[in-house]
Amino acid sequence: MVIEEAVNGRDDMLIDGQMADQVLPSGFNPNFLKLYYVKLFPYGDIFRWMSYGNDGKHPACDKSYFGRRELSFTLENDIYLRFLSFNSVSELEKGIREKCPFKIDIGPVYSVDPAKRHAYAQSGENVFKPVERELIFDIDITDYDDVRYCCSGADVCLDCWPLMTAAIKVINTALRDDFGFRHILWVYSGRRGVHCWVCDGKARRLTNEQRAAIADYFRVYKGSENSKKKVSLTGHALHPFLVRSYTEVLKDLFEQTLLSSQQIFSTEDKCEKVLEMIPDESVSAELRGRWQKRSSGSKDNINAVRWEHLKHTLQSGRHKGQGLRRCVEEIVFSFSYPRLDMEVSKHMNHLLKAPFCVHPKTGRVCVPIDPVHCHDFDPTTVPTLSQLLQELNSGGMGQEGDNDWDRTSLGESVRFFRSSFLEPLLKSCKEEMESAYNSKLQQSKNSMIW
């Protein structure tokens, strides 16, 4: 059997259709993971990405670059291995195949080989420190539990997933338009969220203080867990970033999707949650009384009707209470604005799950997400280990390609990773490397002339 060969560690296993008619168990399976690492994990693409052009023959290449990158493995029974390093793609592949990690995390590039950090520590000099790291963002849908009523905890469905779609749209646009970053990778976490990797050279070289400043740029959700009002939009005018986020993404998300999918005004408790965000009790009382008197009407439109009542009351100009001017926008932001794990973005030494890992709780692969078409992404259709194994054993999807993943539903994700992210990134790295090298040569020539 194919699975038996995978467990025994054989690399020359045959995918011959023996299991094509069998129904494989869904979810995560360590036996399937071994086969995944043998047949499907894109080692070469991950290596080329994390090398940033330093794996070539150009005289400016830093041959030690990839070997100074920290990787960590989480093994079965929560055995955690940190500060692992590999000097080549073959070493990386060998290490992953041998250990068969349930999770792979990527850390920063250090000043020295992280696996040899103790030897440098004995010298008495603080030479072991992070020198490069992608700017990263981690958005988890569990942080929206106070405003999503369809699911809670690790559960996610198509009614609440649009919150992740909106987060991608808001953050991606700001990173490109406001900060000028170009090489941005969005990845499904495999279960309940999304990760963002900003890979431009200027992003990788940001200090912790600069990373914190960028993270704070996105900070709007500031309330504590027990705060009734968690968003406060102050000042004479909203920042252009907030205006763009509201008009282009959040307003439509709230009114066209969340009102109905989350049934935001369908019960008294849910209505009270919204009314508590209004700083003027007289306005809250007026709306509460109106809704209690007019509880008739179809359940299908009660959310839209009550939202229009609230907007009209707050925006009619009849009430002049403090803080009412932007209350409608604050309510929309409270329900829909991206909620970032700020600490992940602020520090260079924070680790983040590698793309194309398999989530140990769901068995789903952490595939890239196209931010341009993120509204089409469906987390419930992301390939699982069992699905990929089934596709391999049934002959795959369509014609057999040069790579095994070409014969599975993982192929589309690998091709997208290459064409939309990796190839433009490496082209930019080559240009940057060439420019820096030529500049250094010119400086050398100038010094000789002097």
Side-chain angles (χ1 to χ4, degrees):
M1 292 289 287
V2 173
I3 289 182
E4 293 174 345
E5 292 171 328
V7 173
N8 292 332
R10 288 181 52 184
D11 295 346
D12 58 343
M13 64 188 71
L14 298 177
I15 308 298
D16 55 10
Q18 293 179 9
M19 301 174 63
D21 297 326
Q22 296 184 28
V23 177
L24 299 175
S26 60
F28 183 81
N29 186 306
N31 294 334
F32 299 170
L33 185 63
K34 178 72 173 179
L35 178 61
Y36 176 77
Y37 284 138
V38 170
K39 286 289 185 179
L40 297 175
F41 189 79
Y43 297 98
D45 296 288
I46 297 296
F47 174 78
R48 291 174 66 212
W49 165 37
M50 289 195 293
S51 294
Y52 291 103
N54 286 294
D55 55 336
K57 297 181 180 180
H58 195 282
C61 287
D62 180 357
K63 299 297 184 182
S64 72
Y65 186 88
F66 184 78
R68 291 185 284 115
R69 168 80 72 167
E70 178 192 359
L71 278 81
S72 77
F73 293 170
T74 303
L75 310 183
E76 192 169 8
N77 298 319
D78 290 328
I79 298 173
Y80 192 42
L81 306 178
R82 275 205 66 179
F83 299 110
L84 304 176
S85 63
F86 306 92
N87 292 312
S88 64
V89 64
S90 58
E91 281 190 17
L92 174 67
E93 182 171 355
K94 180 181 179 183
I96 291 177
R97 283 193 182 190
E98 286 181 351
K99 298 294 186 182
C100 196
F102 281 25
K103 186 161 77 86
I104 303 171
D105 287 297
I106 299 175
V109 176
Y110 283 94
S111 51
V112 295
D113 183 345
K116 301 176 182 178
R117 66 195 182 282
H118 295 305
Y120 290 99
Q122 292 174 359
S123 68
E125 299 181 10
N126 185 25
V127 296
F128 179 65
K129 58 184 179 181
V131 293
E132 274 196 25
R133 206 279 183 272
E134 297 80 6
L135 175 63
I136 55 176
F137 297 92
D138 182 6
I139 308 172
D140 195 324
I141 205 165
T142 57
D143 291 328
Y144 295 77
D145 277 0
D146 64 308
V147 294
R148 61 177 186 141
Y149 303 120
C150 53
C151 303
S152 63
D155 294 332
V156 62
C157 70
L158 296 184
D159 283 337
C160 54
W161 186 257
L163 291 165
M164 296 293 97
T165 302
I168 294 174
K169 291 180 178 180
V170 168
I171 302 299
N172 190 71
T173 299
L175 289 172
R176 293 184 182 277
D177 294 354
D178 301 347
F179 292 97
F181 297 125
R182 294 189 299 153
H183 304 291
I184 302 170
L185 176 67
W186 287 93
V187 182
Y188 172 50
S189 71
R191 191 181 192 187
R192 59 192 183 193
V194 293
H195 298 155
C196 176
W197 301 77
V198 187
C199 302
D200 301 60
K202 62 181 181 180
R204 303 197 308 272
R205 293 185 282 271
L206 290 169
T207 65
N208 284 342
E209 292 75 18
Q210 291 168 331
R211 293 165 193 268
I214 293 177
D216 284 336
Y217 179 82
F218 294 108
R219 185 190 294 272
V220 168
Y221 180 81
K222 299 179 180 180
S224 66
E225 184 176 343
N226 298 320
S227 299
K228 294 179 180 180
K229 184 178 180 181
K230 300 188 178 183
V231 173
S232 182
L233 304 176
T234 59
H236 293 294
L238 283 183
H239 190 284
F241 159 63
L242 299 179
V243 173
R244 182 184 63 220
S245 300
Y246 180 77
T247 58
E248 296 183 4
V249 180
L250 303 181
K251 182 176 183 292
D252 285 349
L253 169 69
F254 183 85
E255 295 185 343
Q256 299 178 15
T257 302
L258 298 181
L259 275 179
S260 59
S261 69
Q262 301 304 314
Q263 294 288 292
I264 290 174
F265 292 93
S266 61
T267 68
E268 183 177 343
D269 288 343
K270 291 179 180 179
C271 287
E272 282 300 320
K273 183 178 185 63
V274 177
L275 293 176
E276 288 173 351
M277 300 180 190
I278 300 174
D280 190 324
E281 178 55 36
S282 65
V283 177
S284 300
E286 177 183 330
L287 286 168
R288 186 182 297 109
R290 185 175 185 182
W291 294 343
Q292 290 174 348
K293 290 179 181 178
R294 299 185 59 180
S295 59
S296 60
S298 69
K299 291 290 185 181
D300 294 333
N301 66 12
I302 192 172
N303 298 285
V305 168
R306 288 179 171 175
W307 175 241
E308 290 302 319
H309 288 168
L310 184 147
K311 285 200 300 181
H312 177 74
T313 301
L314 290 173
Q315 297 174 342
S316 64
R318 292 188 297 108
H319 300 279
K320 307 294 183 181
Q322 183 70 24
L324 293 180
R325 189 160 63 99
R326 294 207 181 100
C327 196
V328 169
E329 289 87 349
E330 289 174 348
I331 292 170
V332 171
F333 272 80
S334 295
F335 276 87
S336 60
Y337 185 79
R339 301 184 177 188
L340 306 177
D341 186 334
M342 303 296 285
E343 296 305 311
V344 170
S345 304
K346 290 182 178 181
H347 304 291
M348 293 181 71
N349 60 355
H350 204 292
L351 282 75
L352 192 64
K353 191 189 309 176
F356 297 104
C357 275
V358 178
H359 198 290
K361 297 294 185 181
T362 64
R364 295 195 185 277
V365 181
C366 301
V367 295
I369 299 174
D370 182 355
V372 178
H373 301 102
C374 58
H375 51 276
D376 295 326
F377 182 80
D378 182 348
T380 66
T381 63
V382 171
T384 63
L385 278 179
S386 57
Q387 175 186 340
L388 294 172
L389 179 59
Q390 192 83 46
E391 290 167 358
L392 282 173
N393 281 280
S394 64
M397 301 173 63
Q399 298 295 318
E400 182 172 347
D402 296 332
N403 300 284
D404 285 304
W405 46 257
D406 262 333
R407 297 160 47 212
T408 73
S409 52
L410 187 64
E412 181 179 355
S413 296
V414 177
R415 287 188 290 273
F416 170 78
F417 178 83
R418 287 181 173 179
S419 63
S420 296
F421 169 72
L422 184 59
E423 291 172 5
L425 171 66
L426 295 183
K427 180 181 177 182
S428 177
C429 290
K430 182 179 179 181
E431 293 171 351
E432 182 180 339
M433 187 177 293
E434 186 70 28
S435 176
Y437 181 72
N438 290 337
S439 177
K440 188 175 182 179
L441 281 181
Q442 189 61 46
Q443 290 177 0
S444 178
K445 289 178 181 179
N446 293 340
S447 64
M448 293 178 65
I449 294 173
W450 174 257

